[in-house]
Amino acid sequence: FSLPAKLINGGVAGLVGVTCVFPIDLAKTRLQNQQGPRLYTGILDCLVKTVRSEGYFGMYRGAAVNLTLVTPEKAIKLAANDLFRQQLSKDGKGLTLFKEMLAGCGAGTCQVIVTTPMEMLKIQLQDAGRLTSQKPVSAAGTAPSPHISQVSGNTPTSLHQRPSATRITRELLQTRGIAGLYKGMGATLIRDVPFSVIYFPLFANLNDLGRNRPEEKAPFMHSFMAGCLAGSVAAVAVTPLDVIKTRLQTLRKGVGEDSYSGILDCTRRIWSREGPSAFLKGAACRALVIAPLFGIAQGVYYLGVGEHILEILS
């Protein structure tokens, strides 16, 4: 087990995967944040309207943040799972399903330190275009209730301007300190841990089906398809938790949109105001994002790019 090689593999896998699926992830964020009048009717409608109003590169708002932080995020997630699996199998009894789930739980917990600020910044940048386009839609809306605001109370004033990752980071650090970048960490944790508990054991068992012998690697295409299937199942399963996390981490609210004080308050308000179906907003987008993202990530990861790089450098 070479930890540096695993970290390189995870980083490269994350970069390749995110580059391919980022526009769908942007559509997912905007669909999940919709409350009241619907600006977008679905994935395709969201992407078409985004290109019309913001240009082609509007679909990649927040991509720079994601590409910068996804390297350590995926590296930690994938390498930590391998490390925990190795430690849990040292007794010579092999990995039971419970041990595989425990390894996934450890990996999901470790990644949150990077995932939370990455998601926090990415969501503000991805949702900015929706808020701008929403103004004419919201103009005909009703007056907000006492619990509804256009911009949440403690939101930095510069977020009214065209947002950038640097500006948002600076203002959050000035007004809230490091805790500002970790807003929604609890919600991120309760999404990422169940995701990893479902994903990693499912992927490992599906991937094993492609091996002729235990010591062999599965073919690239088999690892890719195993990652796609396991990723889509895990993504849909935790979509309600992802909706809650996205709502909590969104600093700017459109006219007539709720602000939330915490996970329980967010859950209660979504249920009472929008109904149970609101917890599945963006489920199709999540499946379309996570399936190829983890398919590509696992395919690249199992190619052993890190091992080849370290061999060349040594």
Side-chain angles (χ1 to χ4, degrees), residues 119 123 184 187-188 191 241-249:
E119 292 277 314
I123 285 171
T188 305
R191 179 201 67 170
L241 303 173
D242 188 58
V243 171
I244 294 168
K245 183 201 72 70
T246 300
R247 295 282 183 93
L248 286 173
Q249 287 189 315

Side-chain angles (χ1 to χ4, degrees), residues 8 23-24 43 65 77 82 88 95 108 116 123 129 154 164 181 191 201 205 209-210 226 232 250 269 275 277 294:
I8 293 171
I24 307 173
I43 304 171
V65 172
K77 186 187 189 88
D82 273 2
L88 290 169
L95 286 170
T116 304
I123 285 171
N154 296 323
S164 70
L181 288 173
R191 179 201 67 170
N205 285 279
L209 297 175
S232 59
T250 302
R269 288 184 183 282
S277 62
F294 275 86

Side-chain angles (χ1 to χ4, degrees), residues 67-150:
L67 289 171
T68 301
L69 294 179
V70 77
T71 302
E73 189 257 351
K74 282 291 177 288
I76 291 170
K77 186 187 189 88
L78 296 173
N81 178 67
D82 273 2
L83 180 61
F84 286 126
R85 287 174 69 89
Q86 185 202 39
Q87 294 299 315
L88 290 169
S89 62
K90 274 188 172 180
D91 57 7
K93 296 179 181 179
L95 286 170
T96 62
L97 178 60
F98 175 74
K99 287 182 177 179
E100 289 183 328
M101 294 173 70
L102 200 59
C105 177
T109 303
C110 289
Q111 77 173 81
V112 169
I113 192 171
V114 177
T115 305
T116 304
M118 177 182 76
E119 292 277 314
M120 182 71 180
L121 296 173
K122 183 194 72 171
I123 285 171
Q124 316 316 317
L125 297 170
Q126 287 182 329
D127 203 42
R130 181 188 70 89
L131 293 172
T132 302
S133 301
Q134 188 197 37
K135 290 178 181 177
V137 175
S138 301
T142 56
S145 73
H147 295 291
I148 297 174
S149 61
Q150 182 169 1

Side-chain angles (χ1 to χ4, degrees), residues 121 124-125 159 163-172 251:
L121 296 173
Q124 316 316 317
L125 297 170
L159 290 178
S164 70
T166 304
R167 180 183 294 126
I168 295 170
T169 302
R170 185 173 62 247
E171 290 295 328
L172 284 172
L251 296 176

